[in-house]
Amino acid sequence: MDSCKDMRPHHSGVTPQTDPAPFNVTTDNNKYTLGEVVTVKLQATASIPFIGFLLQAREVGGRSPVGSFILTNESTTQRLTCNQKLNSAVSHRSESAKTSIQVMWKPEVSAYVKPIQFQAAIVQNYKTFWVDVTSPPLTFSNDRTGGSTSPPTEKSPTTTTALTMTATVNQPAPPVENISSKDCGVTKVCFSQPSNCDPTVSADCYFMSARKLSPSDVAVYYEMTGLSDGYIAFGFSDDKMMGNDDIYICVIGSNGLVQLQHAFSTGRTAPQTVPLGNVSDVRASVQGKVISCSFTSMNTFSNLKTTGINKNYHLLFAHGPSNKGDIAFHKATFISDDKIDISRPQLVRKGGLPHFIKAHGALMLIAWMTMGSLGMMVARYRHGYAKGKKLWGKDIWFLVHVAVMSLTVATTVIAFILPFSFIKAWSGGAHPVLGCLVMILSFVQIILALLRCGPGHPRRFLFNWTHALNGLGIRALSVAGIFTGLRLIDSSLDQWLMKVMGAFVGWEVLFFILLYVNSKWKVPRKDTLDSKKVRTHVKSQILERKTAC
């Protein structure tokens, strides 16, 4: 749930403190009136500093924010948009220690006749925080006495949206300004697919950029855009593999609005959302199916090996579907070839696939698009060749079939082990499931073959049908697995790998059909055999008469 709704920090595995909070929320009046502002102060009662907070005004007993806030110190505080209400909450701008903050609150034009109170969540550190810290209730008054009558000049509504206590910005963020490849390699780092594409020219351009706001500042301005029906995301990794990565996600939420999420992935499991941290100036939009986000972050990168911002990391980019703001397994991803220092403007090259992935794909293609096909063709359509010729007491076609299919299974085993031995975790999606099914059914096929009954056994037909159907099932699952694997690695716009594979499968299907037709055409028909017998009988009678003469 969003912190804007439940007013709670979403710190994984940590619960709020139950003892009285060493902080209080006070106001300069016990009433509120239209046209007047109320001064609100959040203060530590025992000089205990805090690093984060979230403050809202709500009707007593209500769960939605009311009114809007005015900042008195923009260096330490910032306004948020919660429940699609602009400036309806206040949070910290940085995690620096503080003992008090002061803001002003203004009622909306429509008067609240119910009492309101200010509610806060206050964070001392990651594991120590208090919720439901409230001010005394304020009642509505029609007169104009008591409140400050001249609020400070308010700047134009800010689009800053940052919150240590939430992982998601759930709001109608301002639209993203034009994201383009201008100044790539000059003032900013750019990473795109296809390489060097410009999102202002092509909607099929997946693009992200990073630009440090100043050489001495840790703040980095990020942009990302791409065509997707759910989300786009980029991340930072110590290696070229998905897992243990610091990720920012731009996702379409359940309300149809684009949200920014901060996440961390562990191993090959789905990324877990974490607090946004020092993120501000969030802009998000979707036009057609092109999702775009931009924001400024002062967060350091964190993963299991290194922590910091002035370090080198591989850049990752992924996109895929989502369901009510929850991301699903990505459709495609691409990774930088080298580790990148984002403080140095450059054009980032997309890296190739790891060697073990290439070996895995090549072995599966060899196993099931060449050897497997050959073994099935020999058993089904070519067992009549070399009829009567045996080797080691077995028909030649049978030995060829066993040898080819044994190599097919051995190749499949090697290809199956490769990704698990390198990744050492389970990945999502249909591809690994299909691979496991192919492996299991391949061993079942071997066991069935070893336990088969003799050719003359009355129940031999059960083995024949089971063996054939299981083999056909393995072949279908292997082809489906190859397609899903190619879909994961084919980031080209025209999906040419999928098209080539489709053509290859189509050719094999056509070849099987031709073999089937050929086998039926070559079977001697009964009338043909009868005519041959008649001609042979006539010839023999003619020869006998000539001999008698």
Side-chain angles (χ1 to χ4, degrees):
M1 181 181 287
D2 191 352
S3 294
C4 278
K5 296 179 181 179
D6 62 3
M7 291 291 291
R8 287 175 176 266
H10 293 161
H11 294 175
S12 178
V14 184
T15 57
Q17 300 296 305
T18 56
D19 55 320
F23 312 97
N24 59 27
V25 181
T26 60
T27 60
D28 66 343
N29 200 343
N30 59 1
K31 298 180 181 180
Y32 69 95
T33 305
L34 288 179
E36 296 180 354
V37 297
V38 178
T39 301
V40 187
K41 191 171 185 179
L42 193 159
Q43 188 169 13
T45 58
S47 299
I48 298 176
F50 58 93
I51 61 173
F53 72 93
L54 177 63
L55 177 66
Q56 287 183 3
R58 294 184 172 187
E59 292 180 357
V60 176
R63 296 183 59 83
S64 298
V66 295
S68 60
F69 285 94
I70 302 168
L71 303 182
T72 59
N73 186 348
E74 294 190 1
S75 63
T76 58
T77 58
Q78 61 180 333
R79 295 176 295 184
L80 307 177
T81 299
C82 284
N83 289 41
Q84 302 186 17
K85 294 182 179 180
L86 192 66
N87 304 328
S88 59
V90 180
S91 182
H92 54 283
R93 184 173 289 276
S94 68
E95 295 183 0
S96 60
K98 51 187 78 68
T99 56
S100 67
I101 63 101
Q102 180 173 302
V103 294
M104 289 186 171
W105 176 80
K106 182 175 63 175
E108 293 177 348
V109 175
S110 56
Y112 301 108
V113 295
K114 294 183 179 180
I116 65 102
Q117 65 182 170
F118 294 92
Q119 183 175 342
I122 305 170
V123 176
Q124 183 179 347
N125 54 55
Y126 185 85
K127 294 184 178 180
T128 307
F129 56 87
W130 288 262
V131 298
D132 298 326
V133 181
T134 58
S135 70
L138 280 68
T139 58
F140 175 73
S141 175
N142 283 322
D143 58 23
R144 293 176 175 265
T145 59
S148 302
T149 57
S150 56
T153 302
E154 185 177 356
K155 295 184 179 181
S156 58
T158 179
T159 61
T160 299
T161 307
L163 187 58
T164 298
M165 294 176 287
T166 181
T168 304
V169 174
N170 187 6
Q171 58 156 316
V176 179
E177 298 177 355
N178 286 337
I179 297 177
S180 72
S181 60
K182 182 181 179 182
D183 296 327
C184 284
V186 179
T187 62
K188 60 186 181 182
V189 172
C190 294
F191 186 38
S192 63
Q193 169 63 28
S195 298
N196 303 325
C197 66
D198 189 343
T200 60
V201 176
S202 173
D204 295 322
C205 177
Y206 294 94
F207 179 89
M208 71 83 57
S209 69
R211 172 172 56 88
K212 291 200 71 172
L213 297 184
S214 68
S216 60
D217 195 359
V218 296
V220 180
Y221 178 69
Y222 295 102
E223 298 174 315
M224 60 173 156
T225 185
L227 186 68
S228 177
D229 55 0
Y231 72 93
I232 57 174
F234 71 84
F236 305 92
S237 177
D238 272 316
D239 52 38
K240 290 185 177 182
M241 298 303 301
M242 290 285 185
N244 305 330
D245 312 317
D246 199 328
I247 305 169
Y248 289 98
I249 306 168
C250 197
V251 60
I252 299 176
S254 57
N255 56 3
L257 301 175
V258 180
Q259 306 168 355
L260 177 67
Q261 295 180 353
H262 189 192
F264 184 82
S265 64
T266 302
R268 299 289 292 181
T269 59
Q272 298 297 313
T273 54
V274 297
L276 272 176
N278 294 328
V279 173
S280 59
D281 300 324
V282 176
R283 291 178 175 270
S285 61
V286 57
Q287 296 181 349
K289 286 191 175 183
V290 178
I291 301 174
S292 302
C293 280
S294 65
F295 59 95
T296 299
S297 174
M298 298 176 66
N299 294 329
T300 56
F301 307 143
S302 178
N303 50 47
L304 296 182
K305 297 180 181 179
T306 57
T307 299
I309 194 168
N310 295 319
K311 298 181 182 294
N312 295 342
Y313 295 88
H314 288 283
L315 292 179
L316 314 174
F317 195 104
H319 62 90
S322 66
N323 180 23
K324 296 181 180 180
D326 296 326
I327 66 173
F329 194 74
H330 56 263
K331 286 184 177 179
T333 181
F334 50 98
I335 304 170
S336 65
D337 191 34
D338 302 312
K339 288 187 174 183
I340 304 301
D341 180 0
I342 62 170
S343 64
R344 299 175 57 187
Q346 57 188 297
L347 292 171
V348 181
R349 294 180 303 167
K350 183 181 70 128
L353 294 171
H355 293 305
F356 74 90
I357 293 294
K358 294 179 180 178
H360 167 77
L363 288 173
M364 281 300 191
L365 283 171
I366 292 172
W368 292 107
M369 298 308 295
T370 53
M371 292 190 299
S373 301
L374 178 61
M376 294 177 68
M377 289 178 186
V378 169
R380 181 70 180 86
Y381 301 112
R382 288 294 176 259
H383 56 271
Y385 280 72
K387 190 174 183 178
K389 296 183 179 179
K390 297 182 180 293
L391 182 63
W392 303 313
K394 299 290 183 180
D395 291 335
I396 297 294
W397 74 265
F398 177 77
L399 294 176
V400 172
H401 172 71
V402 171
V404 172
M405 296 312 295
S406 298
L407 284 174
T408 300
V409 174
T411 305
T412 302
V413 170
I414 297 172
F416 182 81
I417 293 173
L418 278 175
F420 284 103
S421 64
F422 280 85
I423 298 175
K424 297 181 175 65
W426 178 265
S427 62
H431 183 69
V433 176
L434 292 171
C436 288
L437 290 175
V438 167
M439 197 71 263
I440 293 170
L441 293 179
S442 295
F443 284 117
V444 170
Q445 191 79 327
I446 294 174
I447 294 172
L448 287 174
L450 293 175
L451 299 179
R452 71 187 184 277
C453 52
H457 196 280
R459 291 190 176 87
R460 172 73 177 201
F461 72 94
L462 293 176
F463 164 75
N464 292 338
W465 277 104
T466 305
H467 188 68
L469 292 176
N470 191 54
L472 186 62
I474 296 172
R475 181 65 195 283
L477 290 171
S478 65
V479 171
I482 292 172
F483 270 111
T484 56
L486 291 175
R487 186 175 181 181
L488 291 175
I489 65 173
D490 189 3
S491 57
S492 61
L493 296 179
D494 57 358
Q495 296 282 288
W496 68 271
L497 285 177
M498 301 283 284
K499 294 177 181 178
V500 171
M501 180 63 185
F504 193 6
V505 172
W507 161 247
E508 284 211 354
V509 170
L510 177 62
F511 198 70
F512 270 94
I513 293 173
L514 293 175
L515 286 174
Y516 175 79
V517 172
N518 180 65
S519 64
K520 292 298 182 181
W521 178 72
K522 293 191 69 175
V523 172
R525 292 182 303 176
K526 185 176 183 304
D527 57 347
T528 304
L529 292 175
D530 292 342
S531 62
K532 286 184 177 180
K533 289 180 180 179
V534 171
R535 287 197 297 269
T536 303
H537 178 68
V538 171
K539 287 182 179 179
S540 63
Q541 287 184 338
I542 294 173
L543 288 174
E544 288 177 358
R545 291 175 181 175
K546 288 183 178 179
T547 304
C549 294

